[in-house]
């Protein structure tokens, strides 16, 4: 499957969620080797969602260095509406960036699972609409969630609560959004199946035609 076809499918599921209600879209899982350009699978849809809907894309990322690098790369390409929030920035900088998200200055937001779960989602996006949530390095949900970074273990419950619309906004377009999981290492089928565990843990609604492995 070409990169263009995958990007198109991600955008299509986002638009179905925004315009068609809670049964018309699917979550997606994409496995691709390291270096295959997995970030394009959500960055291009995120740019589109910002330009057409002013919707927010949240990217759950495990590593501070990766957040920094991806935001820097986007800025070098003239994309100034991306930012990151992590434990290494000051409280004042965090507050400024959260205000920027709520005001519409930023629409692509990288953050760790720990930071995401420490906030009610309304306190991150305010009255804005979520267009897409991305779980990067998604195999960590099951491999790290049990023993190392337990917030990954609770991520599914958090996202399910957000998707049910248990945050209240005056300018809602939809309370539905697809979840895109990206990984280079997840195994599908057999004794070491990670994909099934991932779908159960994150409570994904991922139909087979949107499972790219």
């Amino acid at each position: 499957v070409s990169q263009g076809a995958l990007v198109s499918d991600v955008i299509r599921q986002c638009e179905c969620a925004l315009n068609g209600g809670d049964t018309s879209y699917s979550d997606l899982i994409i496995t691709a080797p390291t270096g295959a350009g997995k970030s394009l699978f959500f960055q291009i849809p995120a740019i589109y969602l910002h330009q057409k809907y002013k919707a927010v894309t949240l990217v759950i990322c495990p590593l501070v260095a990766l957040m920094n690098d991806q935001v820097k790369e986007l800025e070098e390409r003239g994309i100034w509406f991306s930012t990151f929030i992590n434990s290494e920035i000051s409280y004042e900088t965090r507050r400024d960036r959260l205000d920027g998200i709520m005001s519409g200055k930023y629409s692509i937001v990288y953050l760790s699972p720990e930071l995401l779960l420490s906030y009610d989602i309304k306190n991150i996006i305010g009255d804005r609409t979520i267009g897409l949530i991305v779980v990067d390095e998604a195999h960590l949900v099951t491999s790290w969630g049990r023993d190392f970074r337990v917030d990954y273990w609770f991520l599914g419950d958090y996202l399910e609560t957000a998707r049910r619309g248990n945050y209240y906004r005056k300018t809602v377009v939809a309370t539905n959004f697809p979840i895109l999981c990206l990984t280079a290492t997840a195994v599908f089928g057999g004794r070491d199946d990670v994909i099934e565990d991932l779908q159960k843990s994150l409570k994904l609604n991922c139909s087979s035609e949107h499972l790219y492995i």
Side-chain angles (χ1 to χ4, degrees), residues 78-132:
I79 306 301
W80 297 101
F81 48 85
S82 65
T83 191
F84 61 83
I85 305 173
N86 59 46
S87 59
E88 294 193 354
I89 63 176
S90 68
Y91 174 81
E92 291 77 13
T93 299
R94 181 184 300 186
R95 190 66 263 164
D96 286 346
R97 292 183 183 181
L98 287 170
D99 289 344
I101 297 165
M102 294 182 191
S103 70
K105 179 180 179 180
Y106 300 117
S107 291
I108 306 175
V109 183
Y110 292 81
L111 68 175
S112 69
E114 291 86 357
L115 193 140
L116 176 64
L117 266 65
S118 69
Y119 284 88
D120 183 290
I121 203 163
K122 183 177 175 63
N123 293 330
I124 299 175
I125 66 169
D127 291 333
R128 298 184 66 193
T129 296
I130 297 174
L132 176 66

Side-chain angles (χ1 to χ4, degrees), residues 29 31 139 142-143 146 185-200 211 213:
I29 299 175
T31 64
H139 58 280
T142 56
S143 63
R146 292 182 177 90
T185 62
V187 176
F188 179 62
R191 185 181 62 182
D192 299 320
D193 189 325
V194 173
I195 298 298
E196 184 177 356
D197 284 349
L198 179 64
Q199 293 190 72
K200 289 179 179 177
L211 182 61
I213 55 173

Side-chain angles (χ1 to χ4, degrees), residues 43-170:
Q43 288 177 347
I44 294 174
I47 293 167
Y48 175 83
L49 290 167
H50 166 79
Q51 292 176 338
K52 184 171 182 179
Y53 297 101
K54 298 301 180 185
V56 179
T57 297
L58 298 179
V59 185
I60 302 164
C61 183
L63 301 175
V64 169
L66 186 58
M67 299 181 198
N68 297 348
D69 289 347
Q70 292 209 5
V71 170
K72 182 179 179 181
E73 289 172 3
L74 286 167
E75 289 176 348
E76 289 173 350
R77 293 179 171 89
I79 306 301
W80 297 101
F81 48 85
S82 65
T83 191
F84 61 83
I85 305 173
N86 59 46
S87 59
E88 294 193 354
I89 63 176
S90 68
Y91 174 81
E92 291 77 13
T93 299
R94 181 184 300 186
R95 190 66 263 164
D96 286 346
R97 292 183 183 181
L98 287 170
D99 289 344
I101 297 165
M102 294 182 191
S103 70
K105 179 180 179 180
Y106 300 117
S107 291
I108 306 175
V109 183
Y110 292 81
L111 68 175
S112 69
E114 291 86 357
L115 193 140
L116 176 64
L117 266 65
S118 69
Y119 284 88
D120 183 290
I121 203 163
K122 183 177 175 63
N123 293 330
I124 299 175
I125 66 169
D127 291 333
R128 298 184 66 193
T129 296
I130 297 174
L132 176 66
I133 287 187
V134 181
V135 183
D136 200 10
E137 305 296 341
H139 58 280
L140 300 180
V141 170
T142 56
S143 63
W144 284 7
R146 292 182 177 90
D147 304 310
F148 181 39
R149 293 174 69 170
V150 295
D151 288 272
Y152 271 110
W153 196 246
F154 300 107
L155 189 56
D157 289 335
Y158 183 95
L159 295 179
E160 183 182 44
T161 298
R163 191 144 61 173
R164 283 178 175 173
N166 291 0
Y167 56 102
Y168 300 98
R169 297 167 289 162
K170 296 179 181 178

Side-chain angles (χ1 to χ4, degrees), residues 11-28:
I11 291 174
R12 186 161 52 249
Q13 300 317 307
C14 292
E15 293 210 298
C16 286
L18 286 166
N19 299 317
D22 60 356
T23 61
S24 63
Y25 69 96
S26 173
D27 298 320
L28 307 98

